[in-house]
Amino acid sequence: ASLFLLWEVEVCLMLASSVAFVNLARTVTVWLPTSKTDPRALSCKRRWGCVCAPGREELLCAYHAALRQARRLVKHWPNGLPAGCPFFPTVGGVTVLKNAIVALVVQAAQQLGLRIVAEDGRDAWTGHVFRITGARHLARNGVEQALIMLLARWASAVILA
């Protein structure tokens, strides 16, 4: 979710059928909405290739992270995925609610001993966590701001704030 700069609603609604792999090229392609006002209108695609050193799978490799998730789905449903299966389903195979995604992030932050309330009194972890952490990760690794804005589908200069 962070590497594709997703909103929590996109994490909830992403279908397994919206994720495609080319294993020989070690790439993953995800169909995404162009607007958060219509998160089911998939008209934009993003592709990431493997960034791992030869023979060493990295945790922050979008290709391998997506591949691990796809394998979890196949393991859970060895006879085939249910029609319309989310890429990140509940154990029952249904769509996760937005607030459940945020609650999961908050729980992970608590387990890591991270601050839950920001200095200004607001929640430190919101549904934008994947977009924020993804943009910061890309910026720390030298990706230019204009490219981060394109990848995140930001039409404004919000990244500069």
Side-chain angles (χ1 to χ4, degrees):
S2 289
L3 295 169
F4 283 96
L5 303 164
L6 303 181
W7 286 288
E8 82 283 9
V9 69
E10 293 174 316
V11 173
C12 298
L13 297 176
M14 182 185 294
L15 299 177
S17 60
S18 297
V19 181
F21 297 91
V22 178
N23 291 320
L24 284 175
R26 296 181 1 156
T27 62
V28 58
T29 301
V30 176
W31 281 95
L32 299 169
T34 55
S35 162
K36 70 178 179 181
T37 59
D38 192 2
R40 289 193 185 266
L42 307 178
S43 57
C44 171
K45 67 180 173 180
R46 294 289 182 260
R47 177 178 296 130
W48 276 101
C50 176
V51 296
C52 301
R56 184 168 168 226
E57 187 177 313
E58 298 289 336
L59 185 62
L60 293 177
C61 172
Y63 167 75
H64 281 103
L67 192 59
R68 284 190 300 273
Q69 179 61 19
R71 288 177 177 159
R72 285 183 194 107
L73 295 175
V74 170
K75 185 177 180 182
H76 192 74
W77 289 285
N79 296 324
L81 301 181
C85 183
F87 194 61
F88 301 104
T90 65
V91 174
V94 297
T95 301
V96 177
L97 299 175
K98 282 176 31 172
N99 60 353
I101 295 290
V102 176
L104 178 69
V105 169
V106 169
Q107 181 181 12
Q110 287 174 323
Q111 290 175 349
L112 291 169
L114 300 175
R115 183 181 253 178
I116 303 304
V117 178
E119 291 179 10
D120 63 3
R122 293 185 299 169
D123 291 338
W125 305 97
T126 68
H128 286 240
V129 65
F130 306 117
R131 295 174 66 72
I132 294 166
T133 58
R136 288 178 179 168
H137 171 73
L138 293 172
R140 275 193 298 270
N141 285 284
V143 176
E144 292 183 29
Q145 289 177 349
L147 184 53
I148 295 171
M149 289 175 66
L150 178 68
L151 289 169
R153 297 158 287 145
W154 279 316
S156 70
V158 69
I159 190 173
L160 304 176

